[in-house]
Structure formats: C-alpha cells, structure tokens
Amino acid sequence: MKRVFFIPVFLSLSLLTGCFGYPRLLSYPFDPGGRSLNSLASELNPQISGRYIVFITDRRGSQDVYMFDTVTRDLVDLPGLNSFDAIATHPSVSQDGRYVVFGASRQGRSAIFLYDRETRQSRNLTNNLQSEVRNPTISADGSRIAFESSNNGQWDVLVYDRYGQPLNIPQEPR
C-alpha cells in the first residue's frame, strides 16, 4: 500500500501595527529551512517598528531573539545577542533597528537586556533590581525602555534610559 503525505504550506497573513502609521497587512512565504520570517519552529511575541520585526523563536532549540527586515525580506544577523543559558522573551526594537530590548531568564532570575547592533553587545539594564521584571518595550529613538517590575509586591511600570539609569517620570496631580 502506497502512503501519501500532505505537507501543508501556509502563507503568513498578519495584521501588524507599529508605533507610527496605520495597520499593515504583511504576507511572507513559509520557509521550512528557517531562513525567513516563518518556519516550522514556534514564533512568539512579534513586535514591529519601522522596517524591522523582532520575535522569539526556538529554531535552534532555545528561545532566541530574531530580527526580520521587511524591506530586504531577510533575517538580520544579531551576533552576540542570544546565549544558550538564557530564555529570551518579549523583544522590542527601536525604529532604526539599532537597539533591541528583551527580557531573559537565567538560572531562575529575570532581567531586561539591551542589545546594540552597532557594538554587538548586550547589557543587563536591571542588574541592580532585586525583583522580577518582564515585558520590556523601547522608544522609537531607542533612548528609553519601559518594563514591569514586581519590586513592591505588585507589578509597576519602570522607565530607564538606555544606559540603565531609572528615569523619574512626573505624574500629573490627581
């Protein structure tokens, strides 16, 4: 008896919005080799800014940050960003694609990291916090990073500059 296997091929049709502009419908072909935006692996937490889409994928067996350039339609090389001893989550990218911020967990401790594509280095922005942190996002110009912290037994939003210094955001009187 002859067996016939059907391998479904999908096109990604996603409605994404960025910080600026209108919703855009993106259509990128499925690539079983993992060299494009869509693959056989899990693709999680996509964020778009300008021409770049950052997302988490397990293409290499660990949760890593990937970047896709919608103009060149290629993955962007991010040397020095991903490590085998960390689980990355919730990436965000600056408008020009230079800065990528993401959450990571190492040995049960969470942190927020900023990766600079120009210097090819990651820096832990929350090294001095003794609390859980999650869900970072970066401003379009890459100068400010907002994230959640459980420092006071509840989830609060903190804002840091890209050098890891907390910013005092004044609140209007109630």
Side-chain angles (χ1 to χ4, degrees), residues 39-116:
S39 73
L40 289 172
S42 295
E43 267 53 269
L44 308 169
N45 309 117
Q47 298 292 322
I48 189 168
S49 185
R51 65 190 270 181
Y52 300 101
I53 300 171
V54 289
F55 58 99
I56 300 297
T57 183
D58 62 359
R59 294 177 190 196
R60 297 185 307 159
S62 61
Q63 278 188 220
D64 293 328
V65 177
Y66 276 50
M67 180 187 289
F68 184 78
D69 185 329
T70 60
V71 173
T72 65
R73 298 176 74 99
D74 286 319
L75 289 173
V76 176
D77 191 28
L78 301 171
L81 184 137
N82 297 304
S83 64
F84 289 112
D85 66 340
I87 299 170
T89 62
H90 296 90
S92 181
V93 62
S94 61
Q95 184 84 19
D96 63 2
R98 177 175 175 181
Y99 298 104
V100 177
V101 66
F102 61 99
S105 178
R106 270 192 186 119
Q107 299 174 348
R109 180 147 161 70
S110 65
I112 304 298
F113 288 87
L114 178 71
Y115 177 76
D116 183 342

Side-chain angles (χ1 to χ4, degrees), residues 104-111 124 126-132:
S105 178
R106 270 192 186 119
Q107 299 174 348
R109 180 147 161 70
S110 65
N124 184 343
T126 57
N127 202 28
N128 295 329
L129 286 178
Q130 299 301 316
S131 62
E132 291 292 312

Side-chain angles (χ1 to χ4, degrees), residues 108-160:
R109 180 147 161 70
S110 65
I112 304 298
F113 288 87
L114 178 71
Y115 177 76
D116 183 342
R117 283 185 49 216
E118 191 173 285
T119 64
R120 298 180 171 192
Q121 294 186 4
S122 289
R123 189 175 62 249
N124 184 343
L125 297 177
T126 57
N127 202 28
N128 295 329
L129 286 178
Q130 299 301 316
S131 62
E132 291 292 312
V133 291
R134 65 184 186 188
N135 300 326
T137 189
I138 193 165
S139 62
D141 67 359
S143 66
R144 294 173 310 277
I145 295 94
F147 58 92
E148 294 176 63
S149 170
S150 67
N151 198 27
N152 298 319
Q154 65 184 24
W155 288 104
D156 295 319
V157 175
L158 301 181
V159 181
Y160 278 33

